[in-house]
Amino acid sequence: MKPCIALTKGRLEKQFLEFFQSLDYDITSLVDKGRKLRVETEEFQFVFAKGVDVTTYVEHGIADLGIVGEDILAEFQPDVFNLLPLPFGKCRMALAAETGINWPERKRIIASKYPGITKEYFRKKGESVDIVKLEGSVELAPILGLADGIVDIVETGTTLRENGLVIKDEFHHYSARCIANRSSLKIKKELLSPVVEAMQKGVSVQ
Amino acid sequence: MFLPAGSQDEVGQQINKRFRAFEVFTEITERRNYQPISTPVVEYAQTFTNGYTGMALQPMLKWFNHEGEIEVLRPDWTTAVARALVKQSHSEHKWCYQGSVFRSDKPGMESRQAGIEIVYAPSFLGESESLLTAADYLQALEVEDYLIELGHSEIFELLAAPLKLDSVQAERLRQAMHDKRKDEVFQLANHAGSRTIAEQLTELVDAYGSVEILEVYEKHWKNNQHLLEIVEHLKSLVKLLNDCGIKGILVDLGRVKNLPYYCGTMFRGYLRENGSTCFSGGRYDKLYEQFGERHSAVGLAFDVDILADQIKPAQKREKICLCAEPESHAFAEQIRTDFPDKIVDIRYDLPEKESKNYDRIWEITRKGNGWKAVER
């Protein structure tokens, strides 16, 4: 039986395939997959899903390994082995607010796609805040008056700047990671170890 | 009316298979001289959350009683049994239980377990008996394709002991080991002052797989008496299991405990087919220290829901319908005893479309002043 790897669709997928190719794996059928969500190569089965769903597939043992952003792992804390960082998908988690605006005296309202990470961050600072959960375009929240600030991932900072926001604090640095199902890694060690070790070597080289 | 997420009604085979799993457990544990014990489904939260047991309160199903104390639905059997056993005769060593545990982080919140606890027994005997009871039970259920994993909580603890870590960092290191997150294990241990220990722990993360790993680490730790004793102990367990015909054994020397009361050998059973954990347990002598007792304690719990799924459906029995009426019901009941191995149903009315549910149909008709049965 071939190992099943769940990949996060989109930017991480492209970056992973480049990385995987650099490890001498053939990715031809993965590049030309069209809209297929499941592709079988000579050595692996791949499934393509949203980041949080990748963790679900791995946690439930549908996929043996998964490639997912560390932000997703920090927010949802799936019960999986969190094996190694990968040399792409680098970003940081930041608190941002409108340029030139002072924080209000009252309890702050923070908008985020990551309520768990936001709560933990403010708890560590010893501050109570109200968190508004948003699904995307979080930068809009302070501009439209929904929140005093946002907690979100930042790669280059361009989106923040173009929307008149400025970083107040950076508190986590993330990358893509390789995760594994807790049983599969042990039961299928002979199948999974070669690819995990190849990725580990690839990370060390880069 | 709807059901909450994860809850489900059950009918037919699903229930029969679970009852069968419990029945077989009773047969096996009786034969191996375990005494049954049961604890109430409602307990004080403190029983499970105190410093010795260390379970998180959050996923427990809880409420305040009229005196303001937090009560919970039993989240764990081992702790509850330990509380109960302190009052029992110390001459009994082997106990078994079966019933539900409740946690809000599990689908449906209720899961069924059956388990064993062995106290006051010599360490090796207790661990061997636990593992062999597991093998005996799985064999009786005709679950053959499984793997037993052995680990030991003290390996990580001994290697990490010299590190200067506060409680938050120590928990982060334990969690990183649990997640096999080598980069964080290395970083935390290295930051705590020892590159050598950081490298040893990182290596330990990968010390899982077939039992040959024990040979490798026996040589590796030849100058560390305590670690060597642990490896020898695990090797003795493997030999015993092998001698009893059990070959599917894994080891994970980097396993860490999830609850503070584990203090030695840990075991887990995996179904090879789908990777499900069908049993888990280990040594937890420290659990009894809260009651001022110092003695050995070891046990394991089976996930009955997972094992019930593995039970093959019972062989189909012939189904007979006796068509009677109120006056002939007593006669039909007598006839029923003529078919002790069959499923026998008595009906007053049998619509045509339901007759196909039976293999044979008998009509109870008048014969003089009595009754007779005639096959349709």
Side-chain angles (χ1 to χ4, degrees):
Chain A
M1 198 177 182
K2 296 174 184 176
C4 180
I5 303 176
L7 293 185
T8 302
K9 286 192 294 185
R11 197 183 306 173
L12 278 192
E13 170 190 335
K14 290 192 183 72
Q15 292 172 329
F16 172 76
L17 292 181
E18 283 171 23
F19 172 66
F20 209 49
Q21 192 175 33
S22 75
L23 307 177
D24 291 333
Y25 286 104
D26 180 13
I27 60 160
T28 315
S29 55
L30 298 165
V31 174
D32 304 330
K33 71 176 173 61
R35 287 172 182 263
K36 279 187 206 159
L37 297 174
R38 196 165 71 158
V39 176
E40 196 165 328
T41 67
E42 268 196 26
E43 289 174 272
F44 304 101
Q45 279 189 64
F46 284 93
V47 292
F48 299 85
K50 277 185 71 171
V52 64
D53 298 336
V54 164
T55 65
T56 305
Y57 284 119
V58 173
E59 187 171 350
H60 288 252
I62 307 298
D64 302 308
L65 300 175
I67 305 300
V68 66
E70 196 174 356
D71 54 324
I72 299 289
L73 299 173
E75 177 64 25
F76 295 96
Q77 304 194 354
D79 188 19
V80 294
F81 285 133
N82 184 344
L83 298 180
L84 59 131
L86 298 168
F88 51 85
K90 289 190 174 19
C91 60
R92 67 248 199 223
M93 191 62 71
L95 170 68
E98 280 188 277
T99 313
I101 301 282
N102 290 327
W103 290 118
E105 301 262 316
R106 56 168 170 73
K107 189 180 179 190
R108 286 190 271 180
I109 301 168
I110 305 295
S112 183
K113 281 189 285 186
Y114 303 95
I117 294 171
T118 306
K119 184 174 154 188
E120 192 203 351
Y121 167 72
F122 281 101
R123 275 202 174 176
K124 277 187 183 160
K125 284 171 70 90
E127 182 181 347
S128 297
V129 293
D130 288 332
I131 299 166
V132 180
K133 168 85 161 70
L134 291 176
E135 296 299 331
S137 301
V138 183
E139 296 82 359
L140 269 178
I143 299 167
L144 300 180
L146 179 67
D148 302 310
I150 65 168
V151 165
D152 203 10
I153 51 168
V154 179
E155 282 182 65
T156 61
T158 308
T159 313
L160 288 180
R161 272 194 303 279
E162 289 188 359
N163 287 287
L165 301 182
V166 62
I167 291 174
K168 298 276 190 182
D169 189 18
E170 288 181 6
F171 52 95
H172 283 310
H173 287 78
Y174 293 141
S175 71
R177 293 194 67 96
C178 173
I179 60 173
N181 175 264
R182 287 195 180 272
S183 303
S184 298
L185 191 73
K186 294 176 176 179
I187 295 173
K188 302 180 185 175
K189 188 180 181 191
E190 284 173 15
L191 276 177
L192 300 181
S193 278
V195 63
V196 172
E197 280 167 19
M199 281 194 256
Q200 181 73 68
K201 277 183 193 153
V203 172
S204 306
V205 168
Q206 295 196 11
Chain B
M1 300 291 274
F2 301 97
L3 282 172
S7 299
Q8 62 174 333
D9 298 318
E10 294 176 321
V11 290
Q13 279 294 342
Q14 210 171 0
I15 297 174
N16 291 341
K17 290 204 281 188
R18 189 185 323 126
F19 285 173
R20 178 80 189 125
F22 280 131
E23 264 172 38
V24 172
F25 181 76
T26 305
E27 286 164 20
I28 295 292
T29 48
E30 261 181 26
R31 205 172 61 205
R32 299 182 78 98
N33 196 31
Y34 288 86
Q35 301 301 312
I37 187 166
S38 186
T39 63
V41 77
V42 176
E43 297 252 9
Y44 287 120
Q46 175 68 11
T47 302
F48 305 94
T49 58
N50 67 59
Y52 291 94
T53 42
M55 293 179 71
L57 181 64
Q58 193 193 9
M60 293 181 198
L61 279 80
K62 55 193 171 288
W63 61 92
F64 289 107
N65 69 12
H66 66 280
E67 290 168 330
E69 289 164 303
I70 303 175
E71 294 178 348
V72 295
L73 291 185
R74 179 179 52 227
D76 173 53
W77 268 104
T78 294
T79 312
V81 169
R83 178 197 49 67
L85 284 188
V86 172
K87 296 181 201 135
Q88 298 297 322
S89 156
H90 286 201
S91 62
E92 291 295 347
H93 293 186
K94 295 164 74 179
W95 299 90
C96 63
Y97 58 82
Q98 38 189 305
S100 295
V101 291
F102 301 86
R103 293 169 58 92
S104 63
D105 56 355
K106 299 277 181 196
M109 298 190 192
E110 179 182 9
S111 49
R112 291 88 180 173
Q113 291 188 347
I116 52 172
E117 311 286 350
I118 303 173
V119 286
Y120 317 118
S123 294
F124 190 77
L125 175 65
E127 290 172 22
S128 307
E129 175 60 15
S130 296
L131 289 165
L132 294 175
T133 302
D136 201 2
Y137 181 44
L138 294 177
Q139 187 182 24
L141 292 175
E142 297 180 51
V143 175
E144 284 156 8
D145 203 7
Y146 66 90
L147 293 163
I148 293 177
E149 181 193 80
L150 301 176
H152 202 288
S153 66
E154 287 178 12
I155 298 174
F156 162 72
E157 286 163 12
L158 283 165
L159 288 173
L163 295 174
K164 293 178 180 64
L165 297 165
D166 62 31
S167 60
V168 175
Q169 290 169 324
E171 174 50 25
R172 275 183 66 191
L173 181 61
R174 189 205 63 79
Q175 186 65 45
M177 283 296 294
H178 177 63
D179 291 342
K180 294 203 179 292
R181 187 175 176 161
K182 277 194 284 190
D183 52 322
E184 181 144 308
V185 168
F186 183 85
Q187 192 195 352
L188 284 165
N190 194 34
H191 192 255
S194 175
R195 188 178 176 87
T196 308
I197 296 176
E199 284 168 353
Q200 285 173 337
L201 290 178
T202 309
E203 197 180 330
L204 190 64
V205 169
D206 283 334
Y208 66 92
S210 63
V211 293
E212 282 72 35
I213 282 176
L214 292 173
E215 306 290 340
V216 174
Y217 277 83
E218 190 176 27
K219 289 177 192 146
H220 200 67
W221 290 332
K222 62 179 186 288
N223 297 323
N224 186 323
Q225 188 57 31
H226 202 148
L227 289 174
L228 199 58
E229 280 170 15
I230 291 172
V231 173
E232 297 299 341
H233 179 75
L234 295 176
K235 277 183 75 176
S236 305
L237 282 174
V238 170
K239 182 177 183 311
L240 177 95
L241 292 172
N242 283 339
D243 289 349
C244 294
I246 300 156
K247 304 291 181 197
I249 305 169
L250 299 174
V251 290
D252 184 356
L253 301 182
R255 235 187 106 180
V256 293
K257 60 189 180 189
N258 285 335
L259 289 167
Y261 59 72
Y262 279 104
C263 59
T265 311
M266 297 183 285
F267 8 88
R268 193 181 273 155
Y270 295 108
L271 298 180
R272 210 192 289 253
E273 176 196 12
N274 56 19
S276 304
T277 302
C278 59
F279 71 81
S280 63
R283 171 158 300 286
Y284 42 81
D285 307 352
K286 284 183 182 173
L287 186 58
Y288 285 79
E289 288 178 9
Q290 63 183 308
F291 309 112
E293 295 194 356
R294 292 183 72 83
H295 54 75
S296 78
V298 63
L300 54 82
F302 298 95
D303 188 321
V304 172
D305 295 319
I306 284 173
L307 289 174
D309 264 354
Q310 297 293 311
I311 294 176
K312 295 174 186 80
Q315 216 166 19
K316 197 172 175 293
R317 285 195 290 170
E318 192 177 24
K319 214 168 170 183
I320 294 171
C321 179
L322 301 177
C323 296
E325 53 195 72
E327 292 78 15
S328 60
H329 196 140
F331 180 77
E333 191 61 29
Q334 281 177 359
I335 296 286
R336 187 178 242 162
T337 58
D338 293 344
F339 305 103
D341 300 328
K342 321 272 188 221
I343 296 169
V344 183
D345 198 8
I346 295 174
R347 302 275 302 252
Y348 290 164
D349 175 38
L350 183 62
E352 188 56 36
K353 63 179 181 185
E354 289 179 34
S355 62
K356 63 176 184 301
N357 295 338
Y358 299 96
D359 300 306
R360 292 162 74 188
I361 299 166
W362 294 67
E363 302 280 356
I364 310 295
T365 55
R366 283 208 172 271
K367 182 186 177 190
N369 289 333
W371 303 93
K372 64 175 179 178
V374 180
E375 188 163 3
R376 191 191 278 180

